[in-house]
Amino acid sequence: MQLEELRTEGGKVKLPSFEYLRARSMEEAWALHSEAGGDALYLSGGHSVVPSMALRLQAPSRLIDISQIAELRGVSVAEGALRIGAMTRHAEVLADPLIAHHAPLLSQAAPHVAHPAIRNRGTIGGNLALADPASEFPAAVLALRAEIEANGPDGRRLIAADDFFLDLYETALAPGELLTAIHVPLPPESRLFGFDEIARRRGDYAMVGVAAQADVAGGVIAGASVTLFSVGFTPVRARAAEQALDGAPLSPESIARAQAALAQDLDPPDDPGFPPERRLQLARVLLGRVLSRMEPVK
Amino acid sequence: MKHLLSTTVNGEQVQEAVSPRTSLADFLREDMGLTGTHLGCEMGACGACLVLMDGAPVHACLVLAVQAEGCTVETIEGLTETGAAADLQARFHDRNALQCGYCTNGMLMSAQALLAANPDPSRDEIRDALSGNYCRCTGYEAIVDAIAATASDRAGRSETKTEAAQ
């Protein structure tokens, strides 16, 4: 058997055939997507698309390379928000001073995202569009109360992170719509942030993770934002825990109330070998750890 | 349909027609004959296929060859030819940091990029840089030793950081 046939017939780790096209503009990308009748995927870093195709989890007839589109690039501050272009690679998120200053949860999350070589190629837009429930960035954008900028033939829209992650690998993006950027509202200097996860080894998927931010005004917490990941089918806003914190001083007592409230927020799936009770317990422990170490941006 | 790919591999301008489904790793191995780029898992987990793309280590199994358009790619053959990693390779040899050698080229890519960015890494930082590189033979200790020793060599220090000294 020739190598080319082996790749098609036998080799399960080689990609099935597809057509590859480069889009130079958003308009061109939409047109190429619609021309394929929806049987197409956008390709940026490719670090989810390529292995999923190699594993034959999906086989689109066309890949549209969007990495050359200018609107997807750059990190900037405008109109009271930090705009992070979708093509910003994880390694750039890790190193970017504007992100460290205005969206520190993303900087703190980045070292936990996979391994260094993956971070050199994977992009934050691709990561959010995939919406892996064990991934760090979705939980961080949720805690940051960010908005996702999407552009499609019908125009540009901003989707609140709360409305973006719908279900397992399912987002509010319409077919053919491009995730172009993340908008993070600029935080006050005094805002407190915390992020951590529990994983067996560096780079492994987290067993549970927490991203949190809160303002303290007049000695009490206002507007606490607490999210968890790797606890269900989407990243989860822990609203009962947030309510337990709001209006109280950040203290061992309020943290204990937030930990207790997590039972109302989480309903972890029954994973063989990892019962929901254990995941909830880990979430409580980690939440206590993160909340007691909340810090403003240095 | 094949695409005409223009890229730079180990300092050499290359123009080749490639099919979109060909990974950069298969392109390097089969079209360029550069078999030092090893394939392990072909899903970005093992790190055997790391190459430097525009100076940064990336998984050649997760990059399509067509995505290397206009990029600079360096493989272990390139690093060996220029001698850029000769001291690192010698330290891997001295410290018995390889047994079967299958993972070694990927390890060298991670180590080379780490030392370029951080000439004096702690052992924890070395382990972190290697977190995406699997070795099924050595248990990693000797690999960390070899990289720490190279960092010391390059800094002109005679002593090397060992687990005991920290």
Side-chain angles (χ1 to χ4, degrees), chain A residues 8-292:
Chain A
T8 316
E9 304 300 329
K12 286 289 186 248
V13 289
K14 305 292 182 189
L15 278 70
S17 292
F18 57 88
E19 182 186 21
Y20 169 86
L21 295 161
R22 249 177 231 129
R24 281 150 300 186
S25 67
M26 295 198 292
E27 291 72 19
E28 199 181 347
W30 304 325
L32 292 171
H33 195 280
S34 115
E35 192 183 272
D39 186 16
L41 284 175
Y42 292 129
L43 179 73
S44 50
H47 273 34
S48 302
V49 168
V50 171
S52 74
M53 288 175 69
L55 293 165
R56 309 291 165 119
L57 298 174
Q58 51 185 352
S61 67
R62 174 179 284 187
L63 288 187
I64 303 159
D65 190 331
I66 55 172
S67 62
Q68 304 305 313
I69 301 175
E71 284 91 340
L72 307 186
R73 297 198 164 268
V75 178
S76 58
V77 173
E79 294 162 23
L82 174 73
R83 182 186 187 276
I84 304 169
M87 270 299 296
T88 307
R89 300 191 194 276
H90 305 335
E92 293 167 333
V93 172
L94 183 59
D96 189 276
L98 280 176
I99 295 177
H101 191 73
H102 298 298
L105 290 179
L106 291 173
S107 315
Q108 291 166 28
H112 298 278
V113 180
H115 306 287
I118 300 280
R119 298 200 289 266
N120 287 333
R121 286 292 294 175
T123 66
I124 190 166
N127 174 282
L128 297 177
L130 179 70
D132 189 314
S135 184
E136 291 82 359
F137 288 149
V141 299
L142 205 51
L144 288 164
R145 301 192 177 173
E147 291 177 308
I148 312 297
E149 179 192 298
N151 273 281
D154 298 333
R156 171 186 183 272
R157 60 185 183 130
L158 292 175
I159 307 163
D162 275 324
D163 302 325
F164 186 75
F165 302 103
L166 301 182
D167 205 339
L168 187 64
Y169 301 121
E170 204 182 311
T171 70
L173 287 173
E177 207 172 24
L178 279 167
L179 192 166
T180 42
I182 299 100
H183 293 244
V184 181
L186 298 184
E189 293 283 330
S190 60
R191 181 167 291 170
L192 304 176
F193 298 96
F195 183 95
D196 204 359
E197 70 177 47
I198 297 175
R200 288 190 198 278
R201 296 171 302 189
R202 177 58 72 103
D204 274 4
Y205 283 111
M207 291 188 279
V208 61
V210 172
Q213 68 173 25
D215 294 320
V216 177
V220 297
I221 303 164
S225 184
V226 176
T227 67
L228 288 97
F229 56 99
S230 226
V231 291
F233 293 140
T234 63
V236 174
R237 268 286 290 280
R239 292 179 192 275
E242 290 172 358
Q243 277 171 24
L245 293 168
D246 280 339
L250 187 59
S251 65
E253 292 73 30
S254 64
I255 292 174
R257 282 197 299 277
Q259 287 174 297
L262 270 190
Q264 293 162 248
D265 290 315
L266 304 184
D267 183 16
D270 197 358
D271 189 338
F274 200 167
E277 301 78 27
R278 190 186 304 160
R279 207 181 288 269
L280 181 59
Q281 175 59 15
L282 281 182
R284 281 199 202 97
V285 170
L286 187 66
L287 179 64
R289 229 180 256 174
V290 167
L291 291 177
S292 56

Side-chain angles (χ1 to χ4, degrees), chain A residues 3-4 7-8 13-18 20 22 43-47 50-51 63 65 115-118 120-121 202, chain B residues 3 20-22 26 30 39 41-44 50 53 56-59 61-64 66-67 69 128-129 131-132:
Chain A
L3 186 61
E4 193 61 25
R7 281 178 170 176
T8 316
V13 289
K14 305 292 182 189
L15 278 70
S17 292
F18 57 88
Y20 169 86
R22 249 177 231 129
L43 179 73
S44 50
H47 273 34
V50 171
L63 288 187
D65 190 331
H115 306 287
I118 300 280
N120 287 333
R121 286 292 294 175
R202 177 58 72 103
Chain B
H3 288 248
R21 67 196 287 249
T22 303
D26 283 340
E30 289 162 20
L39 280 169
C41 65
E42 296 193 57
M43 50 187 280
L50 295 188
M53 196 164 163
V58 304
H59 292 85
C61 74
L62 294 188
V63 177
L64 302 175
V66 287
Q67 289 179 291
E69 177 70 30
D128 199 29
S131 63

